[in-house]
Amino acid sequence: MNIHTGQHIPLPQGELAELVAPDCHGQNFFEIDRSLQDLLTLYLPEDLRVHLWPKLQEFGALVGGEIDTLSRTADRHVPVLHHRDPRGRFEDWIEFHPAYKRMEQITFCDFAMAGMTGKPGVFGWPEPMPHTVKFLFQYLLGQSEFGQLCPISMTETTAAMIKKFGGEALIERFYDRLISQVPETRMSGGQFMTERHGGSDVSQLAVEARFDDGEWRLYGEKWFCSAADADVVLVLARPRGAPPGNKGLAVFALPRRLEDGSRNAYRVVRLKDKLGTLSMASGEVVFEGAVAYPLGDVGAKENPGLKMMMNQVSLSRLSHGARAASMMRRCLNEAMTVARSRKAFGETIIGKPLLRRQLMKLLLPTEQALSMTLYLGTVLTAAANGDTNAERVARILTPAHKYRTARDNIRVATGAMEVRGGNGYIEDFVNARLVRDAHVGLLWEGTSNINALDITTRAIGRTEAHKDLKSALLEQIEDCPGLTGSFAGALKSSLIKSLDLAEEIARRGEESLARQAASAVYHSATAVLLACEGARLGADGGDARRLLLARMIIDHRLSPQDPLSSGSSAFETAATDLLLIDAPVPIGAAEQTLSL
């Protein structure tokens, strides 16, 4: 307003736009992620890291630019189910927006995201990529497109299941096409398990497999089938005459089309109207005598169907952890972008003490999830190469990772939306979609309760995998340069107490405390990982900030808290100041802060 005339003088449009905080669109999501770049020096062999670096830069630019735009478009233009072809035949098909098909070209074909662990030669590397590399690309993609990570993961796991449990004819027919990068011949995979009563208690499954005229045929309904358009689907079914309960189940490979090109005898009845993951088609399916091929010998005691399918579930849970880590990174980046650009009450809001505390609540679980994702990539690779200790470590950390990151992802997404303010609730920005998509992590591949109970009743109660985890992490502390003294003692003590607690809860069979056990396992493990990463990076002259984050896990996740105490500790204040500036933390500064 002009104070002399009383007239309003409008601001130019450009200046008005500057009042709205920017987002991260257009940035290279690999180049801005210093945490990821640092950790690659620890989790990848040097020759592979150097070889992959240009591809990671290329993909980071795509994810922050073109894929981010395509994903927003595909989220608005959801899949459409058509029940008949133009001539009136019941040839159901699902129509996707061109934005979704373009993302398929980039992810499945250009970057082999469903096949890089199953064949040599991807990106010119002579061997199949280790699981760590697969998780790297999932972690980057999920920062823009969450929905397509489901068919990517299911295609990879379908191929792995067929290769591990299928006969020669089945492998020859499907495997190479499932891991193919050729658009005209590649196949996509899926898994249809859930029925109307829900997904966790599979003992009630009613879809029936009948052996008629030398072929297995499926009858019945599946209630929630993601990637409903998949070319090859793994179906959990009960052969006619099999006993009730889990032991009577078998796994079948179901092609969408038969060898003569005709449509197999099952229909997608409708697509689900979901809260999130809108770009990907989930539907209800009815089997009407669909031809299917068994994996393994139906009814064989040494290869029961449920046990086979749990291989797929474990791989999918690991993928969910990577997805949650990726979404939290996008949320954190969005929140930091807003905090460093938006001004309120005379200063940039990142200087506000309460907001700084809120940002730390976003940063800590984001970094925990990244460390656990990369560590599990190396563990899974070792287990695939015959390391039985690594297999047991993966057995306990996989459900812990899925449990904790799924829950943390919701809090981080909601917190980042709040940092942006009212604009975060508007679909023009990515925050609203991140909040919607985050919630599905609680449901797919087991709810929080199912994953927590998997840790106490099976991983600990039956396998005693916590003992292998304890040994592996204590060895990490001992072998870590510079990680000594009282802080190393605190890490060891929190790890031992956490795993002893989880063992005690498992031994007593206290299901009501299974979540407490799951959180203790996750937090104590990530504290050790972050501390060792920070110490190793700092010893080489790099960023030692992860030492500070490890201390925060001990203080805020593994130590008693007095809800009526006031004031922040000197350590917390100093650590926050170091962690919220965009600069590496030298090892000396980290060690000095740890002593507070």
Side-chain angles (χ1 to χ4, degrees):
M1 176 181 289
N2 186 310
I3 61 174
H4 300 292
T5 65
Q7 294 179 321
H8 286 281
I9 302 176
L11 289 170
Q13 285 298 308
E15 292 184 33
L16 285 172
E18 291 300 316
L19 298 177
V20 178
D23 61 13
C24 297
H25 175 75
Q27 298 187 56
N28 185 313
F29 286 177
F30 176 69
E31 290 186 350
I32 66 174
D33 196 338
R34 194 173 67 240
S35 290
L36 177 61
Q37 293 178 34
D38 286 348
L39 291 178
L40 292 190
T41 65
L42 303 179
Y43 286 103
L44 285 184
E46 178 68 9
D47 56 345
L48 180 57
R49 183 181 68 84
V50 171
H51 184 83
L52 282 176
W53 200 269
K55 276 296 177 183
L56 290 167
Q57 288 182 309
E58 179 187 355
F59 196 60
L62 282 169
V63 171
E66 182 183 0
I67 291 177
D68 200 42
T69 299
L70 294 169
S71 180
R72 295 186 190 204
T73 302
D75 189 71
R76 291 193 300 269
H77 300 277
V78 300
V80 177
L81 174 64
H82 299 272
H83 291 283
R84 295 190 178 197
D85 71 2
R87 298 175 64 186
R89 293 171 296 195
F90 284 100
E91 289 265 349
D92 58 355
W93 59 283
I94 299 173
E95 178 184 1
F96 291 90
H97 190 272
Y100 187 84
K101 304 304 290 184
R102 170 61 182 153
M103 286 193 291
E104 280 189 334
Q105 170 65 37
I106 296 172
T107 57
F108 282 90
C109 301
D110 297 347
F111 285 86
M113 288 185 63
M116 64 172 61
T117 61
K119 63 180 180 179
V122 173
F123 309 141
W125 191 250
E127 300 172 352
M129 289 293 173
H131 290 281
T132 310
V133 174
K134 171 188 70 178
F135 291 142
L136 285 177
F137 283 91
Q138 291 184 5
Y139 169 82
L140 288 171
L141 178 62
Q143 293 181 46
S144 288
E145 168 59 14
F146 180 85
Q148 201 169 102
L149 279 167
C150 180
I152 288 171
S153 175
M154 289 202 294
T155 299
E156 183 211 9
T157 54
T158 298
M161 289 278 287
I162 287 175
K163 185 176 182 180
K164 184 172 183 178
F165 300 111
E168 290 185 11
L170 209 58
I171 295 171
E172 183 177 353
R173 181 176 172 187
F174 296 124
Y175 182 74
D176 285 344
R177 294 186 65 183
L178 284 165
I179 63 172
S180 172
Q181 296 174 249
V182 180
E184 294 78 15
T185 59
R186 76 169 184 87
M187 284 182 159
S188 59
Q191 291 95 43
F192 296 171
M193 290 194 289
T194 304
E195 298 184 11
R196 293 194 187 214
H197 66 274
S200 297
D201 184 7
V202 296
S203 66
Q204 300 182 54
L205 292 186
V207 167
E208 185 179 58
R210 304 175 193 169
F211 193 68
D212 296 330
D213 298 327
E215 291 183 311
W216 284 99
R217 294 181 177 273
L218 302 183
Y219 298 85
E221 299 183 20
K222 292 291 183 180
W223 183 246
F224 199 105
C225 304
S226 291
D229 61 316
D231 298 301
V232 186
V233 177
L234 300 183
V235 181
L236 201 57
R238 191 178 307 281
R240 173 174 280 188
N246 293 337
K247 294 182 179 180
L249 298 172
V251 179
F252 294 85
L254 176 82
R256 182 173 181 82
R257 294 196 173 275
L258 302 177
E259 292 190 79
D260 63 2
S262 62
R263 180 75 164 84
N264 205 350
Y266 72 91
R267 294 181 292 120
V268 181
V269 179
R270 65 172 174 174
L271 297 184
K272 296 291 192 179
D273 187 8
K274 298 174 291 183
L275 172 67
T277 65
L278 301 182
S279 64
M280 185 266 298
S282 301
E284 299 167 21
V285 172
V286 174
F287 304 110
E288 300 168 321
V291 175
Y293 306 94
L295 270 60
D297 296 328
V298 174
K301 293 182 179 180
E302 69 277 6
N303 226 8
L306 181 59
K307 184 178 179 181
M308 281 194 284
M309 191 61 91
M310 286 307 296
N311 282 266
Q312 175 271 325
V313 169
S314 294
L315 288 171
S316 295
R317 285 176 176 174
L318 288 167
S319 178
H320 268 286
R323 296 177 221 179
S326 70
M327 293 174 70
M328 284 190 268
R329 179 64 63 185
R330 179 65 183 272
C331 291
L332 175 64
N333 286 342
E334 292 290 332
M336 294 299 292
T337 297
V338 172
R340 288 171 175 155
S341 61
R342 181 182 172 192
K343 290 186 177 181
F345 307 106
E347 67 174 315
T348 306
I349 63 173
I350 197 170
K352 303 293 185 182
L354 197 55
L355 182 66
R356 292 172 72 79
R357 187 177 180 88
Q358 183 176 351
L359 290 172
M360 290 305 304
K361 292 182 178 180
L362 309 184
L363 189 152
L364 183 59
T366 299
E367 298 293 359
Q368 285 180 273
L370 175 58
S371 291
M372 183 62 82
T373 296
L374 295 178
Y375 178 68
L376 274 169
T378 64
V379 170
L380 188 61
T381 299
N385 291 328
D387 187 332
T388 55
N389 290 336
E391 184 177 350
R392 287 190 290 271
V393 170
R395 180 65 188 85
I396 186 170
L397 286 184
T398 295
H401 190 36
K402 165 65 167 63
Y403 165 76
R404 192 65 262 164
T405 56
R407 303 193 66 75
D408 288 343
N409 192 15
I410 291 173
R411 297 181 66 180
V412 170
T414 304
M417 178 179 66
E418 187 178 19
V419 173
R420 188 172 289 281
N423 284 331
Y425 200 66
I426 306 302
E427 295 285 351
D428 290 343
F429 294 91
V430 74
N431 295 90
R433 177 158 57 93
L434 289 167
V435 170
R436 289 190 279 108
D437 287 351
H439 283 75
V440 79
L442 295 178
L443 308 173
W444 284 351
E445 308 303 355
T447 61
S448 298
N449 288 350
I450 292 299
N451 278 276
L453 289 169
D454 188 34
I455 294 170
T456 56
T457 62
R458 298 181 185 89
I460 296 176
R462 297 179 188 173
T463 311
E464 296 188 329
H466 62 295
K467 296 180 179 179
D468 297 272
L469 177 62
K470 183 186 293 185
S471 297
L473 295 179
L474 287 176
E475 184 178 341
Q476 279 220 23
I477 297 172
E478 293 294 337
D479 292 344
C480 189
L483 199 57
T484 58
S486 60
F487 185 54
L491 284 169
K492 293 177 183 177
S493 175
S494 63
L495 174 67
I496 292 169
K497 288 172 64 177
S498 296
L499 295 181
D500 286 351
L501 169 68
E503 181 181 25
E504 179 66 13
I505 290 172
R507 185 186 63 79
R508 296 202 306 251
E510 293 193 75
E511 290 192 2
S512 61
L513 299 181
R515 288 191 180 202
Q516 182 183 358
S519 291
V521 169
Y522 180 80
H523 290 313
S524 61
T526 53
V528 172
L529 295 178
L530 284 158
C532 292
E533 292 161 356
R536 290 192 173 98
L537 291 169
D540 291 335
D543 193 348
R545 65 178 52 231
R546 305 182 88 75
L547 280 166
L548 306 179
L549 293 168
R551 164 78 182 272
M552 287 188 165
I553 297 171
I554 294 175
D555 289 355
H556 292 280
R557 300 289 184 263
L558 299 170
S559 299
Q561 302 289 314
D562 182 356
L564 300 181
S565 64
S566 62
S568 300
S569 68
F571 163 76
E572 185 173 319
T573 300
T576 298
D577 289 344
L578 288 170
L579 291 166
L580 290 184
I581 60 173
D582 192 20
V585 178
I587 187 67
E591 290 175 341
Q592 182 179 0
T593 305
L594 284 175
S595 67
L596 296 176

